[in-house]
Amino acid sequence: MSSCIIKKNILIEGKTKKVYNTDNPFEVIIHHTDNITALDGLKKSFIQDKGVLNNEITTLIFQFLNSCNIKTHFIRKINNREQLCHKVDMIPLEFVVRNIVSGSMSQRLGIKEGINLYDPIFEIFYKNDKLKDPLINDYHAVFLKIVSHEELNTIYNITSQINIFIKKYFFDKNIILVDFKIEFGKNYKNEIVLSDEISPDTCRFWDKRTMKKLDKDLFRRGFKEKEEVFDIYIEILKRLNVS
């Protein structure tokens, strides 16, 4: 870690990350742990060095999005587990983009997995552990005074751009982006910026040729944790590192 950055007290401790204050009131350090969770935290485990992989994968993706003029909280990677990021007030919503039917959408609507969606479907989940992060709509989000309709329009516009950029980014590396979850926050200028992470923890990836799953679904669906899941995360990182 650079000597000019002073890590201070823990600001937030989540399921797979810790956020630390720094001596700069507008910057934080995000530390990726080796925890892995699924099913709203009901399934938990530990995979050695998973946090190292997620830190590197998220770094590469956020650097790419920054180069596409998408505003993010990411500043730079500090070490193998940590990033320096702009401090934001997180919006307690998860935005899910679905390009192919899979997961909970398949179960909820009784639609077979693997059907391509000509227009991506956007979903909102209210981040509330006690309520198990329920699916809500725009009007719920506004009623709860989390965001305004104007802010939602801004988020949807950014999300649509992100989907376009990273679908091609992954496809060029022989990865199909099935769906993904992203989160946003507001920086000190009150700008809405992409925050949190983008990794195999938050995306569904399929191999372009074999349709093999390349993400946390392996853990969610009960595959060998330390062997198959870790190897898949390694595979994603290898592909992202190929120019």
Side-chain angles (χ1 to χ4, degrees):
M1 185 185 299
S2 173
S3 59
C4 64
I5 304 171
I6 300 174
K7 183 197 284 187
K8 301 178 77 174
N9 58 298
I10 289 183
L11 179 64
I12 301 169
E13 183 166 3
K15 295 183 181 77
T16 61
K17 293 184 290 296
K18 298 177 182 178
V19 181
Y20 292 86
N21 282 311
T22 69
D23 54 327
N24 184 329
F26 302 116
E27 296 177 351
V28 294
I29 291 171
I30 296 181
H31 176 99
H32 292 258
T33 72
D34 291 335
N35 298 327
I36 185 167
T37 68
L39 307 175
D40 292 323
L42 294 177
K43 188 172 184 180
K44 303 175 185 178
S45 192
F46 173 92
I47 299 178
Q48 184 68 42
D49 290 335
K50 189 207 74 143
V52 173
L53 298 177
N54 272 1
N55 184 41
E56 183 63 24
I57 291 168
T58 294
T59 291
L60 291 171
I61 297 169
F62 272 58
Q63 285 176 336
F64 168 73
L65 287 172
N66 282 343
S67 75
C68 296
N69 295 318
I70 298 292
K71 290 185 178 180
T72 78
H73 72 163
F74 178 83
I75 299 174
R76 63 185 172 87
K77 187 176 83 168
I78 300 172
N79 56 43
N80 67 345
R81 286 189 179 272
E82 296 180 325
Q83 302 169 358
L84 184 67
C85 296
H86 298 292
K87 188 174 184 178
V88 299
D89 291 324
M90 293 298 293
I91 298 169
L93 299 172
E94 294 178 345
F95 292 85
V96 173
V97 180
R98 300 188 184 276
N99 297 308
I100 297 174
V101 175
S102 187
S104 63
M105 179 181 171
S106 172
Q107 297 165 11
R108 191 168 61 244
L109 301 180
I111 302 173
K112 185 179 177 180
E113 277 200 343
I115 295 175
N116 282 286
L117 299 167
Y118 293 106
D119 293 313
I121 291 177
F122 294 0
E123 296 176 341
I124 307 176
F125 292 83
Y126 177 32
K127 290 199 67 176
N128 185 307
D129 288 339
K130 291 182 180 178
L131 300 177
K132 298 183 179 180
D133 298 349
L135 175 68
I136 63 173
N137 63 33
D138 294 13
Y139 294 96
H140 294 136
V142 173
F143 169 74
L144 291 168
K145 298 182 179 179
I146 298 172
V147 287
S148 66
H149 284 295
E150 291 75 18
E151 288 171 331
L152 277 174
N153 286 337
T154 297
I155 290 171
Y156 285 139
N157 286 334
I158 298 171
T159 300
S160 181
Q161 292 179 57
I162 291 170
N163 188 40
I164 291 168
F165 289 136
I166 63 175
K167 266 180 68 177
K168 184 179 187 306
Y169 174 74
F170 288 119
F171 195 78
D172 289 345
K173 300 172 187 301
N174 294 315
I175 299 167
I176 294 173
L177 181 61
V178 176
D179 58 41
F180 62 98
K181 171 190 75 70
I182 51 178
E183 297 182 33
F184 293 87
K186 294 181 180 179
N187 62 18
Y188 74 97
K189 296 179 181 178
N190 206 39
E191 297 173 318
I192 294 174
V193 299
L194 177 66
S195 305
D196 195 48
E197 68 177 298
I198 297 178
S199 74
D201 275 9
T202 63
C203 302
R204 279 192 176 89
F205 297 130
W206 292 351
D207 181 84
K208 187 165 75 174
R209 297 189 181 94
T210 67
M211 297 299 177
K212 178 183 177 182
K213 295 180 185 298
L214 300 173
D215 55 71
K216 194 173 73 170
D217 252 2
L218 291 173
F219 172 73
R220 188 182 291 112
R221 301 187 184 203
F223 287 71
K224 294 178 182 178
E225 298 160 14
K226 297 183 183 299
E227 298 173 14
E228 295 183 61
V229 178
F230 185 79
D231 289 347
I232 284 299
Y233 283 49
I234 286 282
E235 176 64 22
I236 290 293
L237 181 56
K238 284 181 180 177
R239 295 193 192 191
L240 297 191
N241 274 319
V242 175
S243 56

